[in-house]
Amino acid sequence: MKSETWGHVLAELQKTVGKNNYTTWIEPLQFNELTDGVAKIQVPTTFVGNWVSRNYSDQILRHLIGAGAKVSRIEFCVAPRAEMASAPQDKPKTQRKNGAALPDEADLPGAPLDGRFTFDSFVVGKPNALAHAAARRVAEGGAVSFNPLFLYGGVGLGKTHLMHAIAWELQTRRPDLRVVYLSAEQFMYRFVQALRDKDMMAFKTLFRSVDVLMVDDVQFIAGKESTQEEFFHTFNALVDQNKQIIISADRAPGEIKDLEDRIKSRLQCGLVVDLHPTDYELRLGILQQKADYYHQQYKGLELADGVLEFLAHRITSNVRVLEGALTRLFAFASLVGREITLDLAQDCLADILKQSDRKVTVEEIQRKVSEHYNIRLSDMLGPKRVRTIARPRQIAMYLAKKLTTRSLPEIGRRFGGRDHTTVMHGVKRIEELKVDDQQMTEDLELLRRMLES
Ligand code: ADP
Ligand code: MG
């Protein structure tokens, strides 16, 4: 690969990620080599590697391809210290400011913000409407109306995105405010460092000088007693001064194990809103927005009808996976110079699609089949041998064999401890009947569709 190629990537990133992000995350990277479609990039620390990989690897990949490099994947490796020419300097230690009212802006303990996580790029749907509205309200920077704002929800549903969006918005609307965003892990790290350096005063002064404090993934401090203690004091001090606090976690305050009760109840005092799992419309909306963006990046790349709908339907796990799929699809299509069709998507995303396949369980099959034939579940599992019960039982066995990866003995066990030969016989019987019995074929098809939907 030519050295201009990497230069091109850097130049493109410089345009999009913002000055601070560029200095913190991109500058320390060193391009190593490109072999067999894998670009190896050196990072100074695992932490930087993880961050860059999580937040910038899509963009880096895209720009590499845009510059003509034949690359399909990026690997980050931690370089031994001496090899890194430009390892970032540790920030000078916070000086205690005797008599000064506020610590320096530059000493604020926040983590960098991702330039892509803004309100503009956040797609609103039913599952996240409330969280979005609450975030918007806080981002106006007016009088504090609920404290804290507590956002919770599963991974990849947009908690971090919303928090960064609040921070960006506040920076424009209220540049006078000292806004700090950091993860609970970074909070702990800071705290431990302050303890080690015997510099708790500076730590306290710093955190209490903040106007808006956002702590991401607070479940991280569960079970970490002294960090919790300090967090609790910081929290109270800020609330007492009527400063806005925004917290995120992967579950509701009451459900975080090993979190002190007084903290739980403090966290519940404000507004608690959850981000629900995405629905089809939201997923499609997010895909459309991303696809528009990629369309501008990769000019001339065609996207066939139905591809986005297909992805929205099939990839239901979380938005991060959904985005990753689309990025890969565009990168791959531009590499091979083909239109993005359903076939291409199926080939290129086979692994993701397989992972997202809903797993049908034997229990679900038994339940659905009993309902369908109007028999009791206990009869399906019990010893009765009358046809009206034995036949649905065989159908359920057949479906269990076809739709799950369970072995015959395992299936037998789940059918009231039957022998595997009984299951085998049942499966065979249905296969025979299916051949001539139109009704049976239709029933099986209907059940299969219900189970797989
Ligand atoms: P969380 O912090 O809840 O685990 P993130 O905020 O990191 O999730 O979101 C994961 C990815 O999905 C990010 O790239 C984010 O931009 C994207 N994302 C999540 N929800 C939305 C949304 N409603 N609109 C646009 N992008 C979203
Ligand atoms: Mg997050």
Side-chain angles (χ1 to χ4, degrees), residues 32 41 99 111 118 122 170 198 233 238 247 282 306 316 339 434:
N32 227 357
I41 293 173
T118 61
F122 191 82
L170 281 173
K198 303 197 173 37
H233 292 316
L238 289 175
I247 306 281
L282 179 59
T316 54
E339 182 190 358
K434 214 168 66 147

Side-chain angles (χ1 to χ4, degrees), residues 54 155-156 158-161 181 216-217 248 320:
R54 276 239 314 268
V155 282
K159 301 181 294 293
T160 300
H161 189 138
Y181 164 88
D216 207 351
D217 290 318
S248 89
R320 204 170 289 143

Side-chain angles (χ1 to χ4, degrees), residues 298-312:
Y298 303 97
K299 293 216 168 54
L301 208 55
E302 292 292 325
L303 178 67
D305 283 347
V307 173
L308 298 182
E309 286 79 2
F310 169 77
L311 295 179

Side-chain angles (χ1 to χ4, degrees), residues 344-383:
L344 187 87
Q346 261 157 342
D347 280 355
C348 164
L349 303 174
D351 53 337
I352 297 181
L353 293 169
K354 199 156 149 223
Q355 265 176 29
S356 307
D357 264 351
R358 227 173 59 75
K359 305 259 184 307
V360 181
T361 65
V362 177
E363 287 68 27
E364 260 175 289
I365 294 174
Q366 293 168 334
R367 200 155 24 81
K368 274 274 175 335
V369 175
S370 312
E371 274 168 27
H372 184 75
Y373 291 101
N374 222 351
I375 65 171
R376 274 204 287 269
L377 187 59
S378 56
D379 282 341
M380 164 155 302
L381 306 184

Side-chain angles (χ1 to χ4, degrees), residues 5-39:
T5 314
W6 184 240
H8 166 85
V9 174
L10 294 181
E12 287 297 316
L13 287 171
Q14 199 155 20
K15 283 187 233 159
T16 49
V17 302
K19 187 160 153 287
N20 280 341
N21 283 336
Y22 188 83
T23 341
T24 318
W25 306 112
I26 308 300
E27 256 175 19
L29 304 181
Q30 271 182 22
F31 186 80
N32 227 357
E33 55 173 7
L34 175 66
T35 29
D36 299 331
V38 181

